Amino acid sequence: MERIIIFDTTLRDGEQAAGGTLNIQEKLEIARQLEKLGVDVIEAGFPISSPGDFEAVSLIAKEVRASSICALTHANPDGIDRAWEAVKGAEQPRIHVFLSASDIHLVYQLKKSRDEVLQSARDMVARAKKYVDDVEFSPMDASRAEPEYIHRIVEAVIDAGATTVNIPDTVGYAIPDEFGELIAGIFQRVPNAGRAIISVHCHDDLGLAVANSLESVKRGARQVECTINGIGERAGNASLEEIVMAIKTRSDFFDLTTNIDTTQIYKTSRLVSEMTGFAVQPNKAIVGANAFRHESGIHQDGIIKMSKTYEIMDPRTVGIPSSKLVLGKLSGRHAFRERLAELGYGLSEEDFSRAFTAFKELADKKKKVTDKDIESLVAEEQRTTSEMYHLDRLQVSCGDRGIPTAAVRLIAPDGQVLADAALGTGPVDAIYQAINRLVGVPNVLTEFSVKSVTEGIDAIGEVLIIIESDGVTYTGRGADTDIIVASAKAYINALNRLLAAKRAAG
Ligand code: KIV
Ligand code: ZN
């Protein structure tokens, strides 16, 4: 079977999603997991866009060896030079140059003629080629450009040395049949098309990103650009897990394969959701909480008799743990370690010890500790290891008569202990006011939600918040059996992200 190259852009286009800012350590952790997942190419960032992005791409290029590491750049000399500086330490570096191709972009945004754009595309690919053999070019907004002009660009950039030409549906406008025709047309009308890999990059504005990507591979595209959980600019990008599982589950139809270790999909999805703060909708294909749940009696009856009656994929193929074993306060280190391994976590000894302490504390409060609790507590531990400000103590008084009051103690980045108290309209507001007095970073809280990780009165509560500062949004998460504590942790998590982003931006 022929193989489809999986190009993951979670760390670049995925991070462009509003509120999806990741810090450098978080990016590295996701990149390591993408490598484990078997992604062929990791688009690690856009180095000229900020010093933080440059640093993240350089670090990932040095640390991740099995996947190609790609840096995105505009079609201009400085961007290309900076992209090379960032990826040059990689085992398999790639530079990805993009330039608009539709008349609507050329006339209103670039104010350049088609011939000028064609010339720049050619020149900039040639410039990137001086640094590295693996050069990708994308004619942005290709799905709204004139196909004949796309053919001219594809031919020119392949002549200039592009090894991959990516056809983006930048605004998610394409319809599968029409987009498939565009791809087929390239093979029919571009004489040198066979000398490069033809790739696709689809956005989900009409909910067609995966359908457009799959239609393209049927028509000869051999690289697909996608993100974990489909996150990305606006409505997002094509979702990696949906494309990979469609190709695998319907190999009878596609007769294609990928390098992806599908058993790592669930874990990667959880990690990206935790780090970005973007929850996965329950009915999301492949990785949603309900994707393998059967509620109706007739379906449950069928599943018990023969799982294939209503299940086209075995949940274990995507790494959803099969064990229903629950741990409790008598479970020891060994049982906890085994459970973590089954859930796909390979923690260092130090991280394991911290997670085990947190598990014991939880088991004291909660009779049964489930897989979802463990995932939540490991995520909480991971969040707190990279933080600048750390919540040390919290005390709140509230009720229907008194004035909500919070006293907060934080450990500052330099180890100093800071304490203050404040009043608020409710307990959460009082906590946030007290934290604001200590941290002093102006921001506006735009979203706040609480959900329980499992059923039951003793469940862990997970708080997700979004704050805004200088027009940029930052998400924060916190988990605890006490939702007031979880709210404080979520706010500190969001502030830590905000501060890290400001520091990285210089
Ligand atoms: O959507 C798009 O066109 C892009 C390009 C940079 C490939 O993200
Ligand atoms: Zn895109």
Side-chain angles (χ1 to χ4, degrees), residues 9 12-13 16 43 46 72-73 96-99 136 138-142 166-171 201-203 225 233-234 237:
T9 183
R12 199 279 298 169
D13 224 346
Q16 271 174 237
E43 187 163 58
F46 193 170
L72 181 72
T73 166
H96 178 187
V97 183
F98 75 98
L99 184 57
E136 173 169 332
S138 290
M140 189 155 82
D141 204 19
N166 177 48
I167 307 299
D169 179 22
T170 304
V171 290
H201 174 113
C202 300
H203 280 269
E225 303 199 352
E233 185 86 40
R234 305 180 312 279
N237 289 59

Side-chain angles (χ1 to χ4, degrees), residues 419-438:
D420 210 331
L423 308 177
T425 52
V428 175
D429 184 42
I431 294 168
Y432 288 13
Q433 300 297 344
I435 294 174
N436 284 345
R437 291 166 71 110
L438 295 171

Side-chain angles (χ1 to χ4, degrees), residues 5 20 43 64 86 109 130 147 151 195 204 255 258 273-274 306 343 375 385-386 400 403 406 435 458 479:
I5 297 166
E43 187 163 58
V64 173
Q109 200 178 11
K130 288 202 182 127
H151 300 158
R195 280 180 20 212
D204 209 30
D255 199 23
T258 70
S273 171
E274 284 301 336
M306 162 60 157
L343 291 170
E375 283 171 359
T385 49
S386 58
D400 63 347
I403 300 171
I435 294 174
D458 56 357

Side-chain angles (χ1 to χ4, degrees), residues 211-267:
N212 283 330
S213 306
L214 292 174
E215 183 62 31
S216 306
V217 302
K218 259 173 65 195
R219 306 294 195 104
R222 287 295 173 264
Q223 174 177 286
V224 176
E225 303 199 352
C226 42
T227 60
I228 301 297
N229 300 334
I231 64 168
E233 185 86 40
R234 305 180 312 279
N237 289 59
S239 127
L240 179 147
E241 58 279 6
E242 292 178 25
I243 291 173
V244 167
M245 289 313 290
I247 291 174
K248 183 177 171 81
T249 310
R250 296 305 310 275
S251 62
D252 59 320
F253 179 80
F254 289 106
D255 199 23
L256 292 167
T257 184
T258 70
N259 256 353
I260 297 296
D261 172 359
T262 60
T263 63
Q264 292 290 328
I265 285 180
Y266 179 70
K267 170 141 194 261

Side-chain angles (χ1 to χ4, degrees), residues 57 115 276 297 300-301 303 316 431 442 465 480:
V57 177
D115 284 344
T276 56
Q300 288 177 348
D301 174 63
I303 288 286
R316 284 169 300 187
I431 294 168
I465 67 159
D480 202 281

